[in-house]
Amino acid sequence: MLDAKERRKLKDKARELREKIVEVTFTCGGAHIGGAFSQHEILVALYYKAMRIDPKRPAWEDRDRFILSKGHGGVGHAVILGDLGYYDPVLLKDFNKTGSPFGMHLDRLKVPGVDFSTGSLGHGLALGLGAAMGARQTGKDWRTYVVMSDGECAEGSVWEAAMAAANFKATNLMAFVDRNRLSLDGPTESLMRLDPLDKKFEAFGWRTLVIDGHDLDQILDAVEISRAETERPVMVIANTIKGKGVDFMEEKTAWHYGGLDEAMRDAALASILKS
Amino acid sequence: MAKAQGLTWTIDDADHMTQAEIYGEVLTQIGLKNKRVVALTADLARSTKIGKFEEKIPERFYNVGIAEANMIAVAAGMTEAGLIPVVSTFATFASMRAAEFVRTDMCYQKRNVKIIATHSGTSFGQAGTTHHCTEDLAIMRSFAGMTVIAPADAFETARAVAAAIDFDGPVYIRIGRGFEPPMHKSMDFDFEIGKAIKLRDGRDLTIIATGVAVLQAMEAAERAAGNGVSVRVLDMHTVKPLDEDAVREALMDTRRIITVEDHSVIGGLGDAVADVIARSGKGCAFKKLGYQDCFAMVGYYEDLQHHYGIDADGIIDAIALVLKAEFEADEDWEDEI
Ligand SMILES: Cc1ncc(C[n+]2csc(CCOP(=O)(O)OP(=O)(O)O)c2C)c(N)n1
């Protein structure tokens, strides 16, 4: 549980970062803004509270590892890493520009603080399992956090990794599904049904929690549960809203990817301020 | 042979449509006539424009979610009922995520599935390496029994899609993101799978290009002509089976060849052409343009084409080099330059 002051601080931080995501989306001409907003509180809770990291030492051996398996959320991730001081956030003015280190999907060889290059869906859970097994093998106590999208759970590779993580008792691995119920072509439940997603992961051997993915306390409580778990890896089905925080983007498939003109940017910022 | 036949709709009706939309439209027209055609995608109906088929023929459209390997095997299975499945996703996922399913379920078993792979090369420039695809020609060429086509523009894509449906066997059609400028003026030209189109004749040098590079090759040839260099341009839309006769003819006539492709120089069109040249035993000045064994950076497509030397400027530079290059003369050849 967060105390009231901490909660206030984190919420303000989340809002400030949403505004920055809007600014980057405005300057770069277009970004995966809908999914960046649905995953947002999970990343904020992990990066500003839960994870053992040191932005001054991005290659610190004992840091916790983070994998944005839904790599298209890179715009949100990049804004957070810049804010934490992994690099000068001014660099983000070149997001998506030719020759920039920052593309839609972040490259670990170009962006400090990024542990794994993602963008092709369905890789992150297995990468995370490997990292977690690597830590255990080498007697290290760092933990690995993976954030997946719900759409990517249609990939067989997710379930191969899910089966393996339970099999190998990777309790130093924790994963989230950003359950915003929308993928690119529409609602997951009318495209490729996922429900009951929690029961599926449960059946694959995970301890599965269902939470409100925009509630910082619930996210951090889940992290505590994962840390205490000794038998099963923990999967969090985080119910979220695609486009969360900007009224005209919420629950809209069209805002999976989009650009903003000045008027839309101002409307988006106004909406974030109200929320 | 083969002018466009039986298509009630032509691209001329829709100047504003992108390359991808045009294939979606053509496929829909074919589907309305041919009930055996079914369409599948993996959560990219809108991005690839195969969703146009869904709008008109929802009962023969399947969206399998983000599951490309599954999609290929399902499509291969559907052929057992005599269906002609057309699947569309990004080239990177069609050719790499699903590669072994393509090889074993489509090619090895001779299944009549057509893949329309979009966003190939670096056409999805800003999305970076995970969404670039500069390896698919190499991978698909290596699968026995696979036909591999990289149309130059929307008109050619329309023709290629129609030809692929008529063709019995697995076909891989590779297109860009959909915003590529047109090469041809209409859909009305000779198109035959496996037959290069000689877009321009020339004596001094031949550029063999595929996909979007064809337009760049034409521009470069035009500019070279202004400097008194006579350049032949072959639109090698079918990378496999390669039109070896056209390559040999270019070899014998010009003895200087440049290949251009929005693809790695390893295993694609360039290597296919090099193979023909090597087997001929003839001397030839030769250069392959493409990505030189690297992952491309992030950026706008036009910038990337320029940076990696596969636009008209890069081809012009290559022409200068290849014209200067020495090669061993043989009895069939005396260099006249
Ligand atoms: C293997 C793979 N297939 C397809 C894509 C293209 N793609 C990018 S995002 C996306 C779907 C977005 O929906 P979801 O995964 O649920 O993400 P979110 O709603 O959280 O943004 C797709 C199909 C991809 N990146 N990787």
Side-chain angles (χ1 to χ4, degrees):
Chain A
M1 271 298 262
L2 290 160
D3 63 44
K5 205 173 133 210
E6 251 185 330
R7 186 176 307 115
R8 187 71 261 149
K9 248 179 78 183
L10 272 187
K11 279 187 156 178
D12 287 346
K13 178 54 81 180
R15 171 151 23 111
E16 173 199 327
L17 291 165
R18 265 202 179 81
E19 290 165 359
K20 289 185 176 164
I21 293 170
V22 167
E23 291 295 352
V24 174
T25 304
F26 171 70
T27 49
C28 76
H32 290 96
I33 193 163
F37 284 168
S38 60
Q39 76 195 13
H40 192 57
E41 272 72 22
I42 302 170
L43 269 67
V44 168
L46 290 175
Y47 270 104
Y48 291 84
K49 177 79 183 159
M51 287 202 295
R52 183 168 77 197
I53 51 167
D54 180 359
K56 299 269 159 333
R57 293 182 291 161
W60 177 31
E61 213 186 319
D62 291 325
R63 73 192 186 281
D64 287 343
R65 304 306 200 269
F66 176 82
I67 301 172
L68 187 62
S69 187
K70 45 170 290 189
H72 57 277
V75 66
H77 194 193
V79 163
I80 286 174
L81 294 174
D83 181 69
L84 285 167
Y86 282 94
Y87 41 80
D88 184 349
V90 167
L91 293 173
L92 292 169
K93 71 182 183 340
D94 288 334
F95 197 89
N96 269 358
K97 305 264 160 68
T98 299
S100 164
F102 304 96
M104 292 174 195
H105 310 92
L106 301 183
D107 178 341
R108 79 182 193 98
L109 301 180
K110 297 196 176 135
V111 183
V114 174
D115 294 323
F116 287 86
S117 308
T118 53
S120 178
L121 296 165
H123 292 237
L125 194 58
L127 287 169
L129 171 59
M133 289 168 74
R136 189 168 62 191
Q137 181 73 43
T138 52
K140 296 287 187 177
D141 68 348
W142 48 268
R143 299 177 59 76
T144 301
Y145 298 89
V146 178
V147 173
M148 294 189 284
S149 68
D150 49 2
E152 81 170 297
C153 293
E155 290 282 5
S157 56
V158 168
W159 299 98
E160 294 170 25
M163 194 182 295
N167 183 66
F168 293 124
K169 289 200 177 162
T171 52
N172 53 350
L173 172 68
M174 178 181 194
F176 294 82
V177 175
D178 175 0
R179 186 74 172 110
N180 60 31
R181 298 192 163 262
L182 293 176
S183 63
L184 230 168
D185 285 336
T188 57
E189 298 316 284
S190 55
L191 281 172
M192 184 52 55
R193 194 169 53 250
L194 293 172
D195 279 338
L197 193 55
D198 55 335
K199 299 254 167 19
K200 285 178 177 150
F201 280 111
E202 195 81 42
F204 271 68
W206 291 64
R207 175 154 182 200
T208 307
L209 312 168
V210 180
I211 66 164
D212 173 347
H214 295 300
D215 183 321
L216 294 161
D217 287 282
Q218 290 189 33
I219 296 163
L220 290 167
D221 287 349
V223 172
E224 285 314 315
I225 290 171
S226 159
R227 284 195 180 125
E229 179 60 60
T230 54
E231 284 301 309
R232 295 180 294 171
V234 167
M235 175 64 66
V236 180
I237 310 294
N239 288 317
T240 58
I241 292 170
K242 203 157 176 170
K244 169 78 175 175
V246 173
D247 46 15
F248 63 88
M249 293 183 186
E250 289 190 0
E251 312 266 16
K252 299 270 191 317
T253 306
W255 282 102
H256 173 71
Y257 184 90
L260 300 168
D261 60 18
E262 244 164 88
M264 282 164 129
R265 176 195 60 181
D266 294 345
L269 291 174
S271 180
I272 290 169
L273 205 59
K274 265 191 293 166
S275 68
Chain B
M1 61 145 232
K3 302 264 186 272
Q5 270 163 14
L7 297 174
T8 51
W9 179 90
T10 78
I11 183 172
D12 307 324
D13 302 330
D15 293 341
H16 59 283
M17 292 187 107
T18 67
Q19 189 185 22
E21 282 169 324
I22 282 149
Y23 104 70
E25 190 62 45
V26 167
L27 185 62
T28 305
Q29 292 298 328
I30 294 171
L32 287 170
K33 292 216 176 70
N34 186 343
K35 301 275 184 287
R36 294 199 297 142
V37 174
V38 292
L40 295 91
T41 190
D43 198 24
L44 290 172
R46 296 183 312 150
S47 311
T48 65
K49 303 294 185 278
I50 204 167
K52 293 197 161 289
F53 190 102
E54 178 180 23
E55 286 163 21
K56 292 271 169 51
I57 319 176
E59 70 281 8
R60 274 186 275 134
F61 181 85
Y62 297 92
N63 196 328
V64 301
I66 307 169
E68 296 79 8
N70 183 43
M71 172 170 69
I72 296 291
V74 166
M78 283 176 156
T79 64
E80 193 64 18
L83 296 174
I84 306 173
V86 179
V87 311
S88 196
T89 180
F90 295 165
T92 183
F93 308 129
S95 68
M96 291 185 272
R97 173 64 63 91
E100 194 246 353
F101 291 73
V102 173
R103 175 231 184 223
T104 298
D105 301 333
M106 278 177 60
C107 298
Y108 169 49
Q109 309 192 42
K110 284 201 198 319
R111 295 294 181 177
N112 196 20
V113 177
K114 322 296 171 186
I115 298 175
I116 302 177
T118 69
H119 298 62
S120 69
T122 61
S123 62
F124 205 173
Q126 296 156 297
T129 297
T130 57
H131 287 62
H132 294 166
C133 184
T134 57
E135 301 89 352
D136 54 339
L137 293 176
I139 294 164
M140 290 296 151
R141 267 183 76 222
S142 72
F143 294 167
M146 183 60 109
T147 294
V148 183
I149 307 175
D153 70 356
F155 295 108
E156 225 171 88
T157 303
R159 300 298 305 278
V161 169
I165 305 275
D166 287 342
F167 176 86
D168 186 20
V171 179
Y172 182 84
I173 298 176
R174 150 196 235 254
I175 64 175
R177 192 179 182 184
F179 304 120
E180 296 72 21
M183 222 305 298
H184 298 279
K185 294 203 168 49
S186 77
M187 207 147 51
D188 193 17
F189 56 91
D190 284 342
F191 181 88
E192 201 179 319
I193 292 176
K195 191 112 189 59
I197 302 173
K198 194 191 285 182
L199 289 171
R200 189 187 172 108
D201 206 356
R203 297 177 315 277
D204 299 331
L205 180 144
T206 302
I207 306 171
I208 305 179
T210 197
V212 286
V214 176
L215 180 64
Q216 302 301 322
M218 285 298 279
E219 260 181 57
E222 189 75 33
R223 275 153 61 179
N227 294 326
V229 181
S230 165
V231 175
R232 178 180 300 183
V233 177
L234 294 182
D235 169 0
M236 197 62 84
H237 50 70
T238 308
V239 176
K240 186 186 175 190
L242 191 75
D243 187 345
E244 297 198 1
D245 290 341
V247 176
R248 273 191 293 267
E249 193 183 69
L251 170 67
M252 297 311 285
D253 292 350
T254 70
R255 290 298 178 115
R256 295 175 195 275
I257 293 178
I258 295 170
T259 59
V260 202
E261 58 201 306
D262 184 6
H263 186 273
S264 168
V265 290
I266 297 176
L269 173 72
D271 277 1
V273 169
D275 175 57
V276 177
I277 298 171
R279 278 188 279 121
S280 76
K282 303 293 179 193
C284 179
F286 178 66
K287 193 162 177 56
K288 295 187 285 189
L289 301 185
Y291 304 94
Q292 306 288 334
D293 197 17
C294 62
F295 291 112
M297 64 186 185
V298 160
Y300 300 117
Y301 191 23
E302 295 73 18
D303 293 348
L304 297 181
Q305 286 176 290
H306 183 72
H307 181 85
Y308 293 99
I310 57 170
D311 66 347
D313 292 342
I315 299 171
I316 287 287
D317 293 346
I319 288 175
L321 285 176
V322 169
L323 284 179
K324 268 193 258 147
E326 304 274 341
F327 59 90
E328 211 161 302
D330 49 57
E331 73 267 22
D332 296 331
W333 180 256
E334 273 175 63
D335 197 355
E336 292 153 8
I337 290 172

